[in-house]
Amino acid sequence: MTQALELGLDTFGDVTRGADGELKSHAQVIRDVIEEAVLADQLGLDFFGVGEHHRADFAVSAPDVVLAAIAGQTTRIHLGSAVTVLSSDEPVRVYQRFSTLDAASNGRAEVILGRGSFTESFPLFGYALDQYDKLFSEKLDLFVQLLRNEPVTWQGETRAALNNQSVYPPIEHGTLKTWIGVGGSPESVVRAAHFGLPLMLAIIGGDPRRFAPYAELYRNALAEFGKPVLPIGVHSPGYIADTDEQAREEMWPDYKCMHDQIGASRGWPPLQRAQFDREITHGSLYVGAPETVARKIAATVKEIGATRFDLKYSAGMLPHDKLMHCIELYGGKVMPMVRELLA
């Protein structure tokens, strides 16, 4: 039986403008994110993900704490990180925080583990960037052992060994759903298959069809490792308004500002409007009226063979009231359209 498509939302808690045009406080942005998640739950969406960053333009540095607040105000939506930067964190504590969230939410917790595309957490927590890959590989190996819900014996080079150590609280029912977030590295795709974990593809630019070979690589690797068929998810940015033109005009200035601010430290040239429009038409920006976005999501899901699509709906300083309307359209119109197109 084919697994039903799940539709979710992701946010990094981008610092937004208030009604007066001034930037909101980080505290108010966090409260807004909680309100956005509550709306997503009311609309019947399947998942709400919160990213981790350690810089001025994003408000959320502790996703699990924000997710716990959301859990207390929601009843059915699954809640997870997007992503947890495992390389610069402590695997045992990550597991404990999310097993605690799972208990508080009555089994609704998920975690997406990744290496992170931002590196601010490494100097902040005292990790060397030249150990970027080794840290993630070792800590992921330990985390996978923790998922078994039994005493752990483990040894590596990046943290102290564990000898028959129990970790609490255990997951009450089943296993903590744990994804590996991948940005386009074949080695990372194979690693996810090796550990038998679901794959979350972060497709944030270019034609999404170019990721179809990664999905095929993942499926083949699972078979070679003797693992069962596992979910594949897609995370991509987008924004929905009442019309295509309105969506583009409302998103463009704030998306450009965010792109250029991040790009300044990465050597990217300033974003041009033609590039933005081209990314919407042919790339991985899901921007437009509900029908436009629904058709594009359905096409990507078919091409990749995905069972989860998460829309990264926050975009720089784009105001909270516009994000709330975007969520309303996503849950109320896009979600049923996508499911009808795929039926």
Side-chain angles (χ1 to χ4, degrees), residues 42 63 70 85 99 139 162 188 236 244 259 282 289 298 301 331:
Q42 292 168 351
I70 294 168
V85 184
S99 64
K139 292 183 177 188
L162 295 176
S188 296
S236 288
D244 288 347
H259 178 281
H282 302 294
V301 166

Side-chain angles (χ1 to χ4, degrees), residues 97-109 171-173 176:
R97 295 197 299 262
F98 279 90
S99 64
T100 300
L101 174 65
D102 194 69
S105 65
N106 197 21
R108 293 186 282 134
I171 295 295
E172 186 175 23
H173 302 294
L176 176 66

Side-chain angles (χ1 to χ4, degrees), residues 83 85 87 113-118 122 132-133 136 181 185 188 191:
V83 301
V85 184
S87 316
L113 304 175
R115 292 183 294 178
S117 62
F118 294 85
F122 286 80
Y132 185 82
D133 290 314
F136 186 71
S185 157
S188 296
R191 179 192 285 129

Side-chain angles (χ1 to χ4, degrees), residues 114-171:
R115 292 183 294 178
S117 62
F118 294 85
T119 57
E120 289 86 359
S121 61
F122 286 80
L124 183 64
F125 298 121
Y127 291 99
L129 273 172
D130 61 5
Q131 288 193 300
Y132 185 82
D133 290 314
K134 185 175 186 177
L135 284 164
F136 186 71
S137 296
E138 278 206 357
K139 292 183 177 188
L140 180 59
D141 181 63
L142 172 54
F143 196 88
V144 169
Q145 293 199 43
L146 294 166
L147 291 174
R148 297 171 184 163
N149 266 347
E150 56 189 35
V152 173
T153 297
W154 179 91
Q155 187 168 354
E157 297 179 20
T158 56
R159 60 146 288 155
L162 295 176
N163 182 23
N164 200 36
Q165 182 72 54
S166 296
V167 176
Y168 303 102
I171 295 295

